[in-house]
Amino acid sequence: LINLLPEDLLSKLVQKGTHIPTHMAEYDLVDINLDVGRRACCWMGNDRVFLSDDENRLVTMEEIDCIVSKLGGFGTDNRAGLEQKLHRISGMCNRKGEVIGLSMRVGRWFEGNA
């Protein structure tokens, strides 16, 4: 899920100089929210964390389009997933049907859970 994000938004989620998730990202990350014209953020436990310290760093339509192209599109319910992963990505569309926001929910597997 993290690999879908633009490089400059990864610093709070991966160990410096790698694509290996931080301990918090691996165990506490609940979801990632990207909306055109707003700051990218995620939820770790009950805390909202902005993915960039730059208050002027806003999500662009091009970034949303890039992520959507990696997903291969959405179903009729505006949801997508990643092959062989439990994560769920929901798209918010404008009146023209363009995806202008993404909510990426982290899916986790627990042994013994049906």
Side-chain angles (χ1 to χ4, degrees):
L1 196 62
I2 291 171
N3 292 330
L4 294 172
L5 298 175
E7 283 289 321
D8 68 320
L9 296 179
L10 293 177
S11 66
K12 305 260 175 98
L13 301 174
V14 297
Q15 296 173 27
K16 191 172 186 172
T18 72
H19 278 261
I20 299 170
T22 63
H23 181 79
M24 283 196 63
E26 188 164 354
Y27 295 101
D28 295 332
L29 183 62
V30 177
D31 63 19
I32 300 169
N33 300 108
L34 304 173
D35 297 309
V36 172
R38 293 183 177 225
R39 293 178 69 191
C41 68
C42 68
W43 289 90
M44 291 200 197
N46 292 323
D47 298 322
R48 180 171 69 169
V49 177
F50 288 107
L51 297 181
S52 174
D53 291 329
D54 180 358
E55 292 182 17
N56 296 312
R57 170 56 170 97
L58 306 178
V59 175
T60 66
M61 189 65 177
E62 292 77 21
E63 290 169 328
I64 297 288
D65 289 342
C66 181
I67 293 170
V68 170
S69 72
K70 292 176 185 176
L71 295 173
F74 289 90
T76 56
D77 61 354
N78 290 335
R79 292 186 183 180
L82 298 172
E83 192 68 33
Q84 298 185 2
K85 303 289 182 194
L86 298 174
H87 309 309
R88 184 189 75 228
I89 296 105
S90 298
M92 287 188 303
C93 298
N94 63 14
R95 291 183 181 141
K96 297 177 189 175
E98 302 165 321
V99 179
I100 58 167
L102 297 170
S103 177
M104 299 186 275
R105 175 65 51 114
V106 175
R108 291 190 171 81
W109 176 80
F110 294 96
E111 188 173 341
N113 220 2

